[in-house]
Amino acid sequence: MRTATTVELSGGPDVVEFAIAAERLGLDVCWVAEAWGSDAPSALGYLAARTDRMLLGSGVLQVGTRSPALVAQTAITLSNLSRGRFLLGLGVSGPQVIEGLHGVAFRRPLARMRETVDIVRQAFAGGKISHSGTEFQIPRPAGEAVPMRLSIRPEHAIPIYLAALSPAMLRLTGRIADGWLGTSFVPEGAGEAYFAHLDSGLAEAGRTRADLDICQGAEVAFASDEEELRVMVAARKTELAFSLGGMGSSSTNYYNQAYGRQGWADVAALVRQRWQRGDRAGAAGLVTDEMVLATTLIGTEEMVRARLAVWRDAGVNTVRLYPAGDTLAAKLRTLGRAIELVREVGAP
């Protein structure tokens, strides 16, 4: 298994130092998020100049805020600047960010993603871009323009990863992507919740699981004993309640739906109701210890090692680690030990 992490530069200057130090620890991939904070491409360009070996990925670029041609231009530029170390991660985000922040309609996200990838790959191939779909008409019809090609060419292959949680987006990922960026992952329930849909898309394209990098992420933290673990789990219940109740819009929450498909539909619905009523403490109180432990890599060292083996056996190729710690040094200690454990568990 490969190791990865995700950073977001709104966290301050320590984030850059963390990424540089993570490369020295042997990290394989550093994904850069943007969400509603700093933009990913600027940070990726800076990190490309400050690192030498590890892969750098956009985790993710929001397709609702960029034209496909701009996505392609950005990807080619970052790939060429980093000498082939760039991975293009794309996602549709959700209505709260796309409509509430950017003022762009969040409609037909599946079609937008499918057409974006098609156009981006046309651009990567170096030909003139021409597309007639429900979301994009290139060139625009009834105008004076003719199809164009980019003046920049990719010097290296650029793998495309899709962030997907819904069944339809998972099937699309299986059909057209090189990798899957997942979250809210419970390996025991992943077969029906995730892999059945991925495998359906792979089969439609005549592909197998070997053609797709399964990249899953979770917080990692090491507890010295049962009491410390109890405190750690309790502290994370509010964060999980926010994902279940506060992420997305009043009607669309992909995280809530993902937990629901993995055995917690009733609890997830109640958490969401309480969170949206403003009862944050009540929402967090409904989150169980099992829900936290099932979707994280939190525990004693032996617990984390055993959990990584379960992830490996479930089909995870790349483990995206979010190391806990109050300081940069603490986060790096956690990350360094986690990388060692992944290597031990993933060794043949």
Side-chain angles (χ1 to χ4, degrees):
M1 291 188 292
R2 294 192 306 181
T3 57
T5 194
T6 296
V7 301
E8 198 265 314
L9 261 67
S10 297
D14 277 356
V15 174
V16 174
E17 298 310 312
F18 170 80
I20 294 170
E23 182 181 55
R24 291 198 293 268
L25 290 172
L27 191 77
D28 297 306
V29 189
C30 181
W31 295 94
V32 178
E34 58 182 16
W36 49 90
S38 62
D39 77 286
S42 299
L44 284 160
Y46 186 73
L47 288 176
R50 298 290 305 274
T51 57
D52 299 302
R53 178 195 57 79
M54 68 181 176
L55 300 175
L56 301 168
S58 56
V60 298
L61 296 187
Q62 300 160 352
V63 298
T65 63
R66 296 172 170 89
S67 74
L70 178 58
V71 170
Q73 289 175 291
T74 302
I76 295 171
T77 301
L78 288 169
S79 179
N80 290 354
L81 282 174
S82 64
R83 301 182 301 281
R85 292 188 289 133
F86 179 66
L87 309 173
L88 176 59
L90 301 174
V92 298
S93 189
Q96 180 56 49
V97 172
I98 299 302
E99 297 185 349
L101 180 63
H102 295 286
V104 177
F106 185 76
R107 62 188 181 193
R108 297 186 295 274
L110 189 73
R112 189 176 189 93
M113 178 65 81
R114 183 179 61 250
E115 293 184 27
T116 294
V117 173
D118 178 66
I119 296 164
V120 165
R121 286 206 164 117
Q122 282 191 52
F124 286 175
K128 293 183 178 180
I129 301 170
S130 178
H131 182 87
S132 178
T134 60
E135 305 305 299
F136 301 102
Q137 299 280 320
I138 303 175
R140 285 184 61 84
E144 299 181 14
V146 298
M148 295 178 61
R149 60 168 55 90
L150 297 182
S151 63
I152 186 173
R153 299 285 185 276
E155 298 168 2
H156 312 271
I158 305 175
I160 296 178
Y161 286 65
L162 300 189
L165 285 173
S166 72
M169 195 64 75
L170 288 163
R171 286 192 293 274
L172 181 67
T173 301
R175 283 200 304 273
I176 69 173
D178 300 298
W180 170 42
L181 293 174
T183 186
S184 305
F185 181 73
V186 182
E188 292 84 354
E192 183 176 347
Y194 295 126
F195 289 126
H197 309 295
L198 283 170
D199 290 342
S200 175
L202 286 165
E204 290 174 17
R207 307 198 303 162
T208 69
R209 203 79 75 74
D211 298 307
L212 193 71
D213 180 26
I214 307 295
C215 179
Q216 279 296 332
E219 182 182 10
V220 57
F222 296 105
S224 58
D225 54 34
E226 291 286 337
E227 177 58 24
E228 186 178 10
L229 177 58
R230 185 189 65 78
V231 173
M232 283 182 173
V233 171
R236 283 148 180 88
K237 291 185 177 182
T238 298
E239 299 172 13
L240 181 49
F242 169 68
S243 294
L244 297 173
M247 290 291 284
S249 67
S250 59
S251 61
T252 305
N253 183 320
Y254 297 119
Y255 300 94
N256 191 288
Q257 294 167 10
Y259 272 83
R261 294 197 305 273
Q262 295 178 103
W264 291 294
D266 293 341
V267 175
L270 289 172
V271 169
R272 185 179 185 186
Q273 290 173 11
R274 292 207 179 182
W275 188 277
Q276 292 185 350
R277 289 203 306 261
D279 183 8
R280 308 296 197 250
L286 292 170
V287 176
T288 67
D289 291 359
E290 181 191 11
M291 292 173 73
V292 174
L293 292 171
T295 52
T296 63
L297 295 168
I298 295 175
T300 64
E301 189 168 298
E302 286 307 310
M303 289 173 63
V304 173
R305 179 186 284 107
R307 200 67 187 150
L308 285 168
V310 174
W311 279 39
R312 177 202 62 204
D313 295 344
V316 174
N317 308 117
T318 302
V319 181
R320 203 163 67 252
L321 302 161
Y322 306 135
D326 295 329
T327 65
L328 175 61
K331 290 179 180 178
L332 289 170
R333 282 195 299 272
T334 299
L335 180 63
R337 184 55 187 141
I339 290 173
E340 291 174 353
L341 288 178
V342 173
R343 288 173 178 163
E344 292 172 16
V345 170

XYZ file of all heavy atoms in Angstrom, residues 14-54:
308
model
N 2.835 26.474 8.641
C 3.276 25.152 9.088
C 2.860 24.052 8.122
O 3.459 22.982 8.093
C 2.692 24.850 10.477
C 3.512 25.469 11.601
O 4.565 26.060 11.293
O 3.087 25.368 12.764
N 1.820 24.314 7.333
C 1.339 23.302 6.405
C 2.410 22.983 5.362
O 2.623 21.820 5.004
C 0.034 23.758 5.725
C -0.393 22.770 4.660
C -1.067 23.926 6.764
N 3.088 23.995 4.876
C 4.158 23.775 3.901
C 5.289 22.978 4.532
O 5.802 22.020 3.939
C 4.676 25.113 3.350
C 5.882 24.890 2.443
C 3.575 25.843 2.591
N 5.684 23.365 5.736
C 6.752 22.639 6.418
C 6.339 21.198 6.696
O 7.168 20.274 6.624
C 7.126 23.353 7.721
C 7.653 24.764 7.515
C 8.758 24.835 6.471
O 9.702 24.004 6.549
O 8.681 25.680 5.572
N 5.072 21.002 7.008
C 4.569 19.647 7.226
C 4.722 18.810 5.958
O 5.190 17.662 6.004
C 3.100 19.702 7.647
C 2.412 18.364 7.679
C 2.585 17.505 8.746
C 1.602 17.962 6.624
C 1.966 16.267 8.774
C 0.977 16.729 6.633
C 1.159 15.877 7.721
N 4.336 19.363 4.816
C 4.413 18.623 3.552
C 5.862 18.298 3.196
O 6.168 17.179 2.752
C 3.762 19.433 2.438
N 6.757 19.244 3.393
C 8.168 19.016 3.079
C 8.741 17.926 3.978
O 9.453 17.016 3.525
C 8.965 20.325 3.231
C 8.513 21.347 2.176
C 10.469 20.068 3.129
C 9.076 22.737 2.398
N 8.408 18.000 5.269
C 8.897 16.994 6.207
C 8.273 15.632 5.926
O 8.925 14.593 6.097
C 8.586 17.433 7.641
N 7.002 15.627 5.488
C 6.337 14.359 5.167
C 7.052 13.645 4.033
O 7.165 12.411 4.035
C 4.879 14.630 4.800
N 7.540 14.395 3.058
C 8.302 13.775 1.977
C 9.562 13.116 2.526
O 9.920 11.998 2.125
C 8.668 14.808 0.926
C 9.432 14.187 -0.252
C 9.823 15.210 -1.313
O 10.487 16.201 -0.952
O 9.466 15.005 -2.484
N 10.225 13.780 3.465
C 11.437 13.200 4.063
C 11.119 11.921 4.839
O 11.966 11.023 4.945
C 12.118 14.221 4.975
C 12.746 15.395 4.239
C 13.747 16.118 5.120
N 13.114 16.777 6.252
C 12.691 18.036 6.254
N 12.839 18.788 5.171
N 12.138 18.551 7.327
N 9.911 11.841 5.382
C 9.496 10.638 6.108
C 9.172 9.474 5.174
O 8.965 8.355 5.631
C 8.276 10.947 6.976
C 8.501 11.841 8.190
C 7.161 12.212 8.821
C 9.408 11.161 9.207
N 9.105 9.768 3.877
C 8.832 8.715 2.910
C 7.417 8.684 2.379
O 7.019 7.717 1.728
N 6.634 9.743 2.632
C 5.266 9.790 2.131
C 5.268 9.707 0.610
O 6.098 10.305 -0.065
C 4.589 11.092 2.576
C 3.084 11.160 2.350
C 2.343 10.349 3.414
C 2.593 12.607 2.373
N 4.298 8.974 0.059
C 4.238 8.781 -1.393
C 3.465 9.869 -2.118
O 3.833 10.257 -3.234
C 3.594 7.423 -1.708
C 4.412 6.260 -1.189
O 5.615 6.197 -1.524
O 3.867 5.427 -0.455
N 2.354 10.343 -1.524
C 1.468 11.297 -2.212
C 0.996 12.361 -1.236
O 0.588 12.039 -0.110
C 0.219 10.602 -2.801
C -0.562 11.582 -3.682
C 0.576 9.343 -3.559
N 1.020 13.611 -1.676
C 0.433 14.697 -0.901
C -0.693 15.322 -1.727
O -0.447 15.908 -2.781
C 1.474 15.766 -0.559
S 0.810 17.126 0.443
N -1.921 15.171 -1.242
C -3.076 15.791 -1.883
C -3.306 17.165 -1.276
O -3.112 17.358 -0.067
C -4.327 14.929 -1.685
C -4.258 13.594 -2.348
C -3.853 12.414 -1.800
C -4.586 13.305 -3.713
N -3.912 11.402 -2.728
C -4.361 11.919 -3.915
C -5.065 14.080 -4.781
C -4.588 11.293 -5.129
C -5.294 13.460 -5.992
C -5.057 12.093 -6.165
N -3.717 18.113 -2.096
C -3.998 19.470 -1.619
C -5.465 19.783 -1.846
O -5.954 19.717 -2.974
C -3.105 20.510 -2.332
C -3.459 21.919 -1.864
C -1.629 20.222 -2.050
N -6.158 20.108 -0.770
C -7.586 20.432 -0.832
C -7.782 21.926 -1.000
O -6.876 22.724 -0.758
C -8.273 19.961 0.448
N -9.001 22.315 -1.417
C -9.324 23.737 -1.436
C -10.652 24.030 -0.739
O -10.778 25.014 -0.042
C -9.321 24.300 -2.857
C -10.258 23.664 -3.840
C -10.136 24.262 -5.242
O -9.144 24.947 -5.530
O -11.045 24.033 -6.041
N -11.670 23.169 -0.900
C -12.967 23.357 -0.239
C -13.411 24.804 -0.367
O -13.647 25.301 -1.470
C -12.887 22.902 1.207
N -13.492 25.539 0.762
C -13.836 26.960 0.700
C -12.695 27.799 1.292
O -12.885 28.892 1.785
C -15.144 27.237 1.441
C -15.232 26.651 2.815
C -14.846 27.242 3.992
C -15.724 25.356 3.169
N -15.063 26.402 5.050
C -15.616 25.234 4.586
C -16.260 24.296 2.445
C -16.005 24.085 5.267
C -16.644 23.157 3.138
C -16.528 23.057 4.523
N -11.470 27.238 1.211
C -10.309 27.958 1.715
C -9.389 28.372 0.580
O -9.833 28.871 -0.449
N -8.079 28.138 0.764
C -7.119 28.510 -0.275
C -7.314 27.632 -1.495
O -7.756 26.488 -1.391
C -5.691 28.363 0.253
O -5.433 27.018 0.609
N -6.966 28.167 -2.678
C -7.139 27.366 -3.892
C -6.016 26.334 -3.984
O -4.905 26.548 -3.494
C -7.165 28.266 -5.131
C -5.780 28.730 -5.525
O -5.226 29.612 -4.832
O -5.241 28.217 -6.508
N -6.308 25.212 -4.599
C -5.335 24.122 -4.676
C -4.196 24.373 -5.663
O -3.037 24.091 -5.344
C -6.048 22.814 -5.005
N -4.456 24.864 -6.897
C -3.356 24.972 -7.858
C -2.203 25.855 -7.405
O -1.034 25.506 -7.639
C -4.047 25.550 -9.107
C -5.462 25.076 -8.994
C -5.769 25.137 -7.533
N -2.493 26.978 -6.751
C -1.405 27.842 -6.284
C -0.529 27.094 -5.285
O 0.714 27.141 -5.354
C -1.972 29.107 -5.629
O -2.734 29.855 -6.543
N -1.173 26.405 -4.348
C -0.429 25.656 -3.347
C 0.364 24.528 -3.979
O 1.514 24.259 -3.600
C -1.404 25.107 -2.304
N -0.225 23.844 -4.954
C 0.468 22.736 -5.617
C 1.705 23.215 -6.361
O 2.747 22.549 -6.354
C -0.495 22.028 -6.567
C -1.528 21.119 -5.900
C -2.712 20.867 -6.832
C -0.888 19.799 -5.475
N 1.604 24.362 -7.021
C 2.769 24.900 -7.707
C 3.898 25.220 -6.743
O 5.081 24.950 -7.023
N 3.534 25.772 -5.583
C 4.548 26.097 -4.578
C 5.179 24.830 -4.016
O 6.410 24.726 -3.888
C 3.911 26.917 -3.459
C 4.913 27.430 -2.444
C 5.787 28.463 -2.765
C 4.982 26.866 -1.171
C 6.704 28.936 -1.848
C 5.897 27.330 -0.238
C 6.750 28.369 -0.582
O 7.666 28.829 0.326
N 4.340 23.845 -3.711
C 4.875 22.595 -3.171
C 5.718 21.850 -4.196
O 6.670 21.156 -3.834
C 3.727 21.708 -2.681
C 3.028 22.161 -1.409
C 1.862 21.246 -1.095
C 4.000 22.218 -0.230
N 5.377 21.981 -5.474
C 6.191 21.343 -6.515
C 7.613 21.885 -6.504
O 8.573 21.158 -6.769
C 5.551 21.549 -7.883
N 7.745 23.174 -6.175
C 9.069 23.785 -6.138
C 9.834 23.433 -4.872
O 11.067 23.531 -4.845
C 8.936 25.307 -6.256
N 9.113 23.027 -3.832
C 9.746 22.760 -2.533
C 9.959 21.272 -2.260
O 10.529 20.918 -1.232
C 8.893 23.356 -1.405
C 8.716 24.859 -1.434
C 10.002 25.603 -1.108
N 10.578 25.194 0.152
C 10.220 25.725 1.349
N 9.265 26.657 1.412
N 10.806 25.318 2.456
N 9.491 20.418 -3.160
C 9.647 18.971 -2.979
C 10.297 18.367 -4.215
O 10.379 19.004 -5.268
C 8.288 18.307 -2.723
O 7.404 18.596 -3.814
C 7.658 18.808 -1.422
N 10.741 17.125 -4.078
C 11.477 16.497 -5.179
C 10.915 15.158 -5.627
O 11.035 14.797 -6.797
C 12.943 16.263 -4.760
C 13.645 17.556 -4.421
O 13.694 18.442 -5.294
O 14.139 17.676 -3.282
N 10.343 14.398 -4.712
C 10.050 13.006 -5.009
C 8.562 12.660 -4.972
O 8.059 11.994 -5.872
C 10.787 12.108 -4.003
C 10.523 10.632 -4.175
C 10.982 9.839 -2.944
N 10.350 10.314 -1.717
C 9.104 10.006 -1.342
N 8.358 9.228 -2.090
N 8.599 10.483 -0.219
N 7.849 13.085 -3.924
C 6.489 12.583 -3.734
C 5.534 13.163 -4.780
O 5.741 14.253 -5.316
C 5.975 12.891 -2.331
C 5.734 14.342 -2.023
S 5.164 14.511 -0.295
C 5.091 16.318 -0.202
